[in-house]
């Protein structure tokens, strides 16, 4: 009807339609949309996982600084009492559990004997905690057995904390 009113042939209005042998379908559009949705989901998942890792590191810093302040007042790190209290603090925060995660105190670089007023005291330890990303990965993929992944996909991550201050007791 429009072609009759304008006096133009149908081929001139849609010149490329003649060269295109197959009809336009929605499979290409649907496939690309699915890919975008999957990639977006994966990016959100990774972002949330790394946000959890940052939250764990911030909580670890807060706990470490609390024990550093205690060391300022005592003049040393009381290994018998403070280490158990520190582990309990990490368990209470949910960073480690009784079955996974640990705290490794660097005894060589931590002040474990009482020092005089104004002397430096150091607290150095490593926190090993379960990787939040690992919970999304299956333990057994396609019959290959347990995965031994490293880096961002490792089963456990470690975070080393080092603090130094002066004794004020």
């Amino acid at each position: 009807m429009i072609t009759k009113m304008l006096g133009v042939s149908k081929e001139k209005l849609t010149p490329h339609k003649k060269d295109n042998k197959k009809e336009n379908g929605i499979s290409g559009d649907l496939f690309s949309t699915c890919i975008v949705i999957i990639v977006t989901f994966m990016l959100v998942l990774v972002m949330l996982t790394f946000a959890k890792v940052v939250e764990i590191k911030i909580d670890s810093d807060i706990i470490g600084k609390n024990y550093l302040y205690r060391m300022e007042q005592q003049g040393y790190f009381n290994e018998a009492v403070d280490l158990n209290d520190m582990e309990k603090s990490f368990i209470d925060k949910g960073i480690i559990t009784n079955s996974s995660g640990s705290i490794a105190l660097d005894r060589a670089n931590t002040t474990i004997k009482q020092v005089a007023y104004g002397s430096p005291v150091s607290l150095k330890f490593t926190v090993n905690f379960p990787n939040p990303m690992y919970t999304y990965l299956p333990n057994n993929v396609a019959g290959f057995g347990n995965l031994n992944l490293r880096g961002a996909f490792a089963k456990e991550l470690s975070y080393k904390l080092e603090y130094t201050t002066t004794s004020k007791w």
Side-chain angles (χ1 to χ4, degrees):
M1 184 163 155
I2 294 176
T3 57
K4 287 182 183 179
M5 289 179 6
L6 295 175
V8 180
S9 69
K10 217 177 197 185
E11 287 79 28
K12 283 194 174 185
L13 287 175
T14 56
H16 300 292
K17 191 76 165 175
K18 181 173 63 174
D19 297 335
N20 192 357
K21 301 283 188 223
K22 68 179 191 180
E23 288 292 320
N24 292 335
I26 63 165
S27 63
D29 295 337
L30 185 63
F31 181 71
S32 61
T33 304
C34 288
I35 294 295
V36 168
I37 290 171
I38 290 170
V39 168
T40 304
F41 174 74
M42 292 302 289
L43 287 175
V44 168
L45 182 69
V46 168
M47 183 199 67
L48 290 174
T49 301
F50 285 119
K52 180 67 176 169
V53 171
V54 170
E55 180 186 338
I56 288 171
K57 288 182 177 186
I58 289 171
D59 288 343
S60 299
D61 282 333
I62 291 169
I63 292 170
K65 286 178 185 175
N66 286 338
Y67 284 91
L68 181 69
Y69 298 146
R70 186 186 285 188
M71 286 178 67
E72 277 183 346
Q73 300 303 317
Q74 294 175 352
Y76 70 108
F77 185 79
N78 187 347
E79 199 172 352
V81 177
D82 291 341
L83 189 58
N84 289 333
D85 289 346
M86 185 184 285
E87 284 180 356
K88 187 175 181 313
S89 297
F90 278 101
I91 289 171
D92 290 344
K93 278 286 192 183
I95 297 171
I96 63 173
T97 62
N98 291 329
S99 60
S100 65
S102 63
I103 299 172
L105 183 68
D106 184 1
R107 288 175 175 82
N109 294 314
T110 298
T111 307
I112 53 176
K113 293 185 179 176
Q114 197 166 33
V115 295
Y117 176 84
S119 298
V121 289
S122 298
L123 175 62
K124 296 184 181 183
F125 64 96
T126 303
V127 179
N128 299 313
F129 56 92
N131 186 354
M133 178 62 91
Y134 194 81
T135 59
Y136 301 115
L137 297 174
N139 289 335
N140 191 332
V141 176
F144 290 112
N146 288 334
L147 296 174
N148 188 13
L149 301 172
R150 291 180 167 71
F153 297 107
K155 189 172 185 177
E156 277 194 348
L157 299 175
S158 62
Y159 183 48
K160 188 173 184 178
L161 296 113
E162 299 180 7
Y163 301 106
T164 303
T165 189
T166 57
S167 175
K168 294 182 173 81
W169 69 276

